[in-house]
Amino acid sequence: MQVILDHLSAVIISSAVLLLILSTQFNAQRATTEQTIASIAKKSTLEMVDYLEDELLLIGDGTEDTIQSASTNSDGMTTAFSFWRQDDSGTDMLVSYTLTEQDSVQFKDDWVQLYQFNRSENGVASGGGSSTLSHFEITMLTETGAVTTTPANARLLRLRAVTVYPYGDPDDSYLHRTFWGITLRPMNLGV
Amino acid sequence: MPQSLMAFLAMLIASLAAFNQMNSRIGSFDNVIRSEYELMANAVVLEQMELLDLGTDYEDLENWDGDELDRSFTVGDMSIAFTLIVEVQFVDEDGQPSEVETNQKEVTIRATQEKFLVPLVQHSRLFSD
């Protein structure tokens, strides 16, 4: 009887130890994957917004007009934004940013609509960016910081973007999205 | 008895490994979350700096010194509040703080947030007359 009890307790203890080690290993693996995904998403967002920052500062540089139009939807997102700038050869071109709807992803109980960021030059598609944006916003501000919808009154541009990580099992993830924002002062606005 | 001691040690080591791994995971998440807050604070501070630059004459800059401003980073329904602390001081040609009046002022804006003990972001800009 004593021998059976010894064996039984040995099996229980070794199983417990094995389970602990496996669970630790599994958690470490998941954490690494989540960190990698977060890092990729952040890098992709920063690459896109770096380009936007550089380009938006060129609004109206050498051209007669500056911002042509800006449209927002009911969620306050900028769905279209057009402005004039010069290309590398010094020719005026109309650059347009638009958002197009992509799939929706579910996080916990919420469905999040994803958008693709598109860019065009004189109506011809050229470049673009993330297809996992859940929010994108370009707001025109006056010199006092008030929001304006009139391009002639705009002195600053406030940009906001949110990128979602549509990977893995969202119910098991703690990190779902990454935020970015900046306020730019294109020198030719309001001049 | 030796077997029991070995079993206890094995469980202790495995538990410690699990605890360490959990701690390191929490630390990583804290870092990611802090970097998100820093990006938001950066956006809010830069906007305030541009507004201050656009709307304030050089002579009036020191009126901002010591001001604490409540500003938010808002995206859709989500809004994160920050407190911005403004500091204005004269600096010399080397950018060092000066007790006497010079022809340039340095404006520094720090962003603090209630969840963090130390300022998240700090930006300085030089203004000259």
Side-chain angles (χ1 to χ4, degrees), chain A residues 16-47:
Chain A
V17 170
L18 197 65
L19 273 176
L20 265 174
I21 290 170
L22 284 177
S23 146
T24 305
Q25 175 66 20
F26 174 73
N27 280 332
Q29 224 166 15
R30 205 176 75 180
T32 308
T33 308
E34 279 189 42
Q35 294 290 312
T36 308
I37 289 167
S39 165
I40 291 170
K42 177 73 83 184
K43 188 164 175 272
S44 142
T45 306
L46 291 179
E47 274 171 7

Side-chain angles (χ1 to χ4, degrees), chain A residues 57-97:
Chain A
L57 286 172
L58 296 176
I59 289 179
D61 187 15
T63 60
E64 273 189 34
D65 293 320
T66 55
I67 296 168
Q68 190 189 56
S69 63
S71 312
T72 54
N73 66 11
S74 56
D75 296 325
M77 290 178 51
T78 302
T79 50
F81 186 81
S82 303
F83 58 92
W84 289 94
R85 58 162 285 200
Q86 286 190 332
D87 63 15
D88 293 338
S89 65
T91 310
D92 291 6
M93 67 175 176
L94 181 66
V95 176
S96 300
Y97 298 154

